[in-house]
Structures are given as C-alpha cells and as structure tokens.
Amino acid sequence: GQQVMQIPQYQHVQEGEDFTTYCNSSTTLSNIQWYKQRPGGHPVFLIQLVKSGEVKKQKRLTFQFGEAKKNSSLHITATQTTDVGTYFCAGPLNAGNNRKLIWGLGTSLAVNP
Amino acid sequence: EPEVTQTPSHQVTQMGQEVILRCVPISNHLYFYWYRQILGQKVEFLVSFYNNEISEKSEIFDDQFSVERPDGSNFTLKIRSTKLEDSAMYFCASSESVQGIGEQYFGPGTRLTVT
C-alpha cells in the first residue's frame, strides 16, 4: 500500500549546526504536510506544500516539495534547543475520500547546547 | 486562540472494559479525526468523520471501535472491549478545510493504559 518514509530516524546535532530531514512517498501526493511534536506533546502543524517544486520558508525552517511531488524535505538552519522534537511529514491517501493522512515515522532531533 | 480539548488526560482501564475518550473540536471545524500513537512510534490514523458519518477509517479501526458526535460539540471514541495492545496515546484532531485535507489541529491527547 501507499507508504511515506522518512530519514533519518534520529539526528543529534550541536546547537548552531544545520539539520535536514527527508520524506519520500511511494506515490505522487496531492500535497504534503509537516508537523512537529515536542517530547510529551502533541503534533503541531507547521506547513502544507501543494505545488510541484514549491519552497516555503518559516524563519530558519525551509520546506521543499519535489518536482514529482513524491518527496519533500525540511531544513533547519543554525539549530537551537527549541528545535528539539520529532518532525513528521504526512500526505493524503490517494484513494477514497482523500481524508486519510499517511504519516512518516518521523525524525527525532536532539540538540546539544 | 481556539484549541481542541480532550478528556481525560490519562485513563487506566482493565482489559475487556469499555472506554470512552472525549474530544471537543474547534467550534467552526467540520472534519474530525482520531489518531493513536504508541509510545515512541509514529502517528497512526484511525478514523475521519464528517457530516455525522465516518469518512475514512483504517484497518486498525475494527468493530471494537466506534465514534460518535452526540451533540454539537463533543466527538467521542469508544473502545468496546479493550486489549493490552490498545495502550497508546489517542489524539483527536479537527480541521475546517472543505477541499482535501488542510491544517489539522490536534488536542493534547489521552493516554490510555490497559492493564
């Protein structure tokens, strides 16, 4: 079935280093969403990408959607301790009512101060 | 800022018992969801709900699960006969998007422990 894969599963960086997580779908996606979950918290929506090749920025976070709409990435420049958490990508199932989000396993980011 | 609320925050139950998890979605949202997350693992879709009926459900959402919107504000998830493997964090979410899936707002979750 349709799958969304994320790498790496874990990333440990020094504060100030950059961080990137990659998301790959087995099928073309109509859109992709990114969520952040702090330890012990709930997923919080970060962004949705819809267009092929789209790039969006939120301060130090840069999100990209691939030309084929099958992959995406999240890049954080100069990480801070507040960036700690698990970053999930999710895309809608390409069937049915299109209301089911398929989630990646997430990338857990740890930042050493 | 409006938010999704969930009660209880933690529920402990014995295997075989019924539990009802409650959620109050954001008031003007039209789509409601339940997810579960086993500790340290990924978020798993259970069910989506729109216009007083189930829109999509996953293979996890078997006959032991049901959802209901008993009034204009609450959205509940019932597990009829809990199993040990139902122990997880259950998140409710809502969204207002009419076309496709838009931003989903998650509640703080209910931690269900089945003993």
Side-chain angles (χ1 to χ4, degrees):
Chain A
Q2 187 178 345
Q3 292 185 15
V4 172
M5 293 146 287
Q6 264 185 274
I7 55 169
Q9 193 172 353
Y10 303 99
Q11 185 83 54
H12 209 141
V13 300
Q14 286 294 128
E15 191 171 23
E17 291 181 341
D18 291 356
F19 159 77
T20 305
T21 173
Y22 300 91
C23 181
N24 291 289
S25 170
S26 57
T27 62
T28 301
L29 298 170
S30 58
N31 66 77
I32 194 156
Q33 299 182 13
W34 284 91
Y35 290 80
K36 176 183 178 182
Q37 185 176 26
R38 291 182 190 275
H42 58 276
V44 175
F45 177 84
L46 293 176
I47 209 157
Q48 178 172 280
L49 303 171
V50 179
K51 298 176 186 173
S52 168
E54 189 170 13
V55 178
K56 285 189 177 179
K57 292 193 176 189
Q58 290 179 351
K59 297 183 182 177
R60 295 178 294 104
L61 277 60
T62 302
F63 302 85
Q64 289 189 321
F65 200 12
E67 294 290 341
K69 300 182 76 173
K70 293 181 71 174
N71 55 69
S72 181
S73 65
L74 158 59
H75 180 82
I76 302 178
T77 304
T79 53
Q80 299 174 359
T81 54
T82 52
D83 295 325
V84 165
T86 301
Y87 294 84
F88 293 97
C89 63
L93 180 69
N94 294 330
N97 295 324
N98 203 32
R99 296 220 142 266
K100 175 180 174 180
L101 272 182
I102 309 294
W103 291 64
L105 283 173
T107 296
S108 292
L109 173 64
V111 179
N112 274 350
Chain B
E1 187 175 322
E3 57 184 21
V4 176
T5 59
Q6 288 186 244
T7 54
S9 57
H10 191 188
Q11 174 91 49
V12 181
T13 189
Q14 287 192 327
M15 195 168 53
Q17 295 296 304
E18 175 184 286
V19 293
I20 297 177
L21 310 182
R22 292 183 165 79
C23 168
V24 179
I26 294 173
S27 61
N28 64 330
H29 284 187
L30 301 175
Y31 296 90
F32 315 117
Y33 310 86
W34 281 102
Y35 292 89
R36 80 171 185 191
Q37 186 178 35
I38 295 169
L39 186 64
Q41 298 188 22
K42 70 174 178 179
V43 178
E44 297 178 291
F45 170 87
L46 292 178
V47 66
S48 61
F49 191 86
Y50 169 68
N51 202 25
N52 284 321
E53 60 183 22
I54 290 174
S55 180
E56 296 267 8
K57 60 182 181 179
S58 72
E59 57 276 7
I60 302 168
F61 195 88
D62 61 22
D63 292 344
Q64 292 300 311
F65 291 86
S66 62
V67 289
E68 197 176 35
R69 189 156 163 81
D71 52 45
S73 60
N74 289 285
F75 179 50
T76 62
L77 173 69
K78 182 194 289 187
I79 309 175
R80 286 191 185 81
S81 178
T82 49
K83 307 184 191 72
L84 294 175
E85 53 265 36
D86 292 328
S87 294
M89 183 71 93
Y90 288 81
F91 292 107
C92 171
S94 69
S95 69
E96 62 178 333
S97 177
V98 174
Q99 292 185 347
I101 296 181
E103 174 179 353
Q104 295 190 13
Y105 292 79
F106 281 72
T110 293
R111 180 169 298 285
L112 176 65
T113 302
V114 182
T115 61

